[in-house]
Amino acid sequence: MIRLENLCLSIHGDQILKDINLDIQPGKVTGLVGESGSGKSMTALAIMQLLPRGSKTQGQVILDGGDMLSTSERDMCAIRGNRIGMIFQEPMTALNPVKSIGDQVMETLLIHTDKSASEARIIAAEKLDRVGLPEDEFPLSRFPHELSGGQRQRVCIAMAIALHPELLIADEPTTALDVTTQAQILDLLKDLIKEEGMSLLLITHDLAVVSGLADHVAVMQKGQIVEQGPTEALFRNMHHPYTRQLFEASSHQPERADKAMPDPILEVRDVMREYTMARTSLFGAPPKFRAVNGVSFTLNHGESLGLVGESGCGKSTLTRAILGLEPLQGGVIRAFGQHVGPGFPNALKSGIQVVFQDPYSSFNPRWRIDRLVAEPFHLMSERPTDWRDQVTSVLHDVGIPADALSRYIHEFSGGQRQRIAIARALILRPELIILDEAVSALDVSIRAQILDLLAGLQKEYGLAYLFISHDLSVVRSVTDRVLVMRAGEIVEQGETEQVFTAPRHAYTKSLINATPVIPSAWKEPPNAKTSLV
């Protein structure tokens, strides 16, 4: 359907892509995998001709015998959305926050066709219904902020397929989604490919996702395709060392020391958190929504505790309550033997730190790294005189060189930003670190490095971790015990291996079954004999 021949790209003289050769077959799924910064997204943007200023391309992107690299912007506007649709990684930034979801799906139809507004509205409703957002439950008048992450991604898919494109480019469409929502989105893409006869270019760092969906896989490293072929053959053989490195990183198990002590650092007892909803009538009290309902658990010194569940189950609400950022309507939270609440002393607050999912949005982009990492010192009566030395030391602990002190956060990669976020959490030498989806947006090799880093820091400092994640494979590899949360309640808990190997609750089983895995038969050594039945 589209052929890339010797595609090269440079931006302001820096080589980004080099001699990319790739065929995207009609009606087939082509997977493009590699680390962050390997050039996957830039390849997609080169196809769409949505490159930044200062870009220079060479080679060809052939569609219907013509070269899209030499196509005028006017003609490209007719191709984008009409013949080629694209789903971006972060739906909240891809959608217009001041336009309703109906208007945004209609926009494609109104631009590329002669449909009237009423006709476009009917088609938009049909497309949203096709992606699992029926109008009776999700009116076209809703705005993006009123939807969950998975629902917003469905809106993006509806926009991309509104005109039955021949090629759909999906750039990390499920990276930040929980396993059940990810499974639903992948099933939806499979069905759309089958029904519409589309080609799909799936860009991802998750080898398990690629193994279950792609017909052909290309592996990118540093702007080049180092290996490609049919999916099963590539996974069985893995000729290039980088492909094997990605494969090993996807199932990486960090070396952990057992330093947990039967001494509670955090106690959560019968915690309830309610929100008052908007009034639905003039009479009676406004309705309430209970986000956390009777949650209880204990976390000991030096222990790693996992908390898993779907988006919206109450994990983040519980986290904010533990940090003393939200009031409770019932129950009690105690840290270091003291009640967590409005009067929680700063000296004890410094013993609990947090690492957020998106390090970029959790930093002030106008501050330099030294000020960012030193920010928690405000919890102390006064900043220590050697604060800069302490910042340098903690950055060294997480593998960031001292020359980073005068730089800004946008100058670092995603993995480096997460290391800086961990450094900020470590600067006060806390006893407990809450990791809220801290590795969910990282590619497999960077994720393996961060998990090794966390395991090493736990050994060195005797840290306790509350590891909140929707990635069950990560939770399984780094935690001692796990809690499974659903609709604000803990439905199952126990030793990690026990819960994963013999889950008792149906919801836990559904989470495990929804997790994509590479077929075990593909993991055999290349020369192993296999019998085909």
Side-chain angles (χ1 to χ4, degrees), residues 309-353:
E310 295 174 300
S311 297
C313 71
K315 303 189 302 293
S316 295
T317 301
L318 179 60
T319 301
R320 291 193 294 271
I322 292 171
L323 292 170
L325 300 177
E326 293 201 0
L328 300 177
Q329 281 70 48
V332 64
I333 298 175
R334 299 179 67 83
F336 314 109
Q338 292 202 29
H339 175 72
V340 175
F344 197 54
N346 282 347
L348 292 179
K349 282 182 183 178
S350 65
I352 304 176
Q353 295 294 303

Side-chain angles (χ1 to χ4, degrees), residues 99-108 110 124 140:
K99 294 185 71 173
S100 69
I101 60 173
D103 286 343
Q104 296 192 59
V105 179
M106 289 169 58
E107 186 177 30
T108 305
L110 295 173
L140 272 63

Side-chain angles (χ1 to χ4, degrees), residues 477-532:
S477 65
V478 299
T479 62
D480 305 300
R481 291 187 298 122
V482 65
L483 310 172
V484 181
M485 195 170 187
R486 182 189 188 191
E489 299 180 350
I490 302 298
V491 296
E492 185 167 354
Q493 60 180 299
E495 300 292 328
T496 302
E497 270 312 300
Q498 179 184 352
V499 170
F500 275 87
T501 55
R504 298 186 302 274
H505 197 278
Y507 177 68
T508 310
K509 294 176 183 177
S510 69
L511 289 179
I512 294 172
N513 292 336
T515 305
V517 294
I518 299 171
S520 56
W522 296 5
K523 299 179 183 180
E524 296 176 4
N527 296 325
K529 293 182 179 180
T530 57
S531 60
L532 300 178

Side-chain angles (χ1 to χ4, degrees), residues 308-532:
V308 301
E310 295 174 300
S311 297
C313 71
K315 303 189 302 293
S316 295
T317 301
L318 179 60
T319 301
R320 291 193 294 271
I322 292 171
L323 292 170
L325 300 177
E326 293 201 0
L328 300 177
Q329 281 70 48
V332 64
I333 298 175
R334 299 179 67 83
F336 314 109
Q338 292 202 29
H339 175 72
V340 175
F344 197 54
N346 282 347
L348 292 179
K349 282 182 183 178
S350 65
I352 304 176
Q353 295 294 303
V354 62
V355 179
F356 296 100
Q357 176 176 354
D358 182 0
Y360 190 70
S361 62
S362 67
F363 285 125
N364 188 330
R366 298 181 179 182
W367 290 2
R368 291 186 173 89
I369 297 305
D370 56 352
R371 186 176 178 186
L372 289 174
V373 176
E375 186 179 8
F377 282 132
H378 78 276
L379 293 172
M380 303 175 69
S381 56
E382 61 180 29
R383 179 177 290 191
T385 55
D386 65 339
W387 69 271
R388 189 175 291 274
D389 292 335
Q390 292 189 39
V391 169
T392 303
S393 175
V394 77
L395 285 173
H396 177 267
D397 288 345
V398 299
I400 299 294
D403 61 7
L405 291 174
S406 59
R407 294 162 64 187
Y408 293 91
I409 195 65
H410 72 269
E411 300 179 67
F412 297 87
S413 69
Q416 289 171 325
R417 290 173 190 162
Q418 202 60 288
R419 288 173 181 268
I420 295 167
I422 294 171
R424 179 174 63 178
L426 284 172
I427 192 69
L428 295 179
R429 298 293 184 239
E431 296 179 68
L432 168 62
I433 295 182
I434 299 175
L435 299 142
D436 189 3
E437 301 282 8
V439 297
S440 64
L442 303 179
D443 59 65
V444 288
S445 54
I446 301 298
R447 184 182 71 186
Q449 294 171 18
I450 295 297
L451 293 179
D452 281 339
L453 170 64
L454 292 172
L457 292 171
Q458 187 173 41
K459 284 182 189 177
E460 184 175 353
Y461 298 118
L463 297 169
Y465 290 143
L466 177 58
F467 210 106
I468 301 167
S469 180
H470 62 250
D471 190 330
L472 301 190
S473 62
V474 169
V475 170
R476 187 172 189 173
S477 65
V478 299
T479 62
D480 305 300
R481 291 187 298 122
V482 65
L483 310 172
V484 181
M485 195 170 187
R486 182 189 188 191
E489 299 180 350
I490 302 298
V491 296
E492 185 167 354
Q493 60 180 299
E495 300 292 328
T496 302
E497 270 312 300
Q498 179 184 352
V499 170
F500 275 87
T501 55
R504 298 186 302 274
H505 197 278
Y507 177 68
T508 310
K509 294 176 183 177
S510 69
L511 289 179
I512 294 172
N513 292 336
T515 305
V517 294
I518 299 171
S520 56
W522 296 5
K523 299 179 183 180
E524 296 176 4
N527 296 325
K529 293 182 179 180
T530 57
S531 60
L532 300 178

Side-chain angles (χ1 to χ4, degrees), residues 34-40 172 205 242 413-415 441-446:
E35 295 175 297
S36 297
S38 62
K40 307 186 299 297
E172 301 277 10
H205 62 251
Y242 178 69
S413 69
L442 303 179
D443 59 65
V444 288
S445 54
I446 301 298

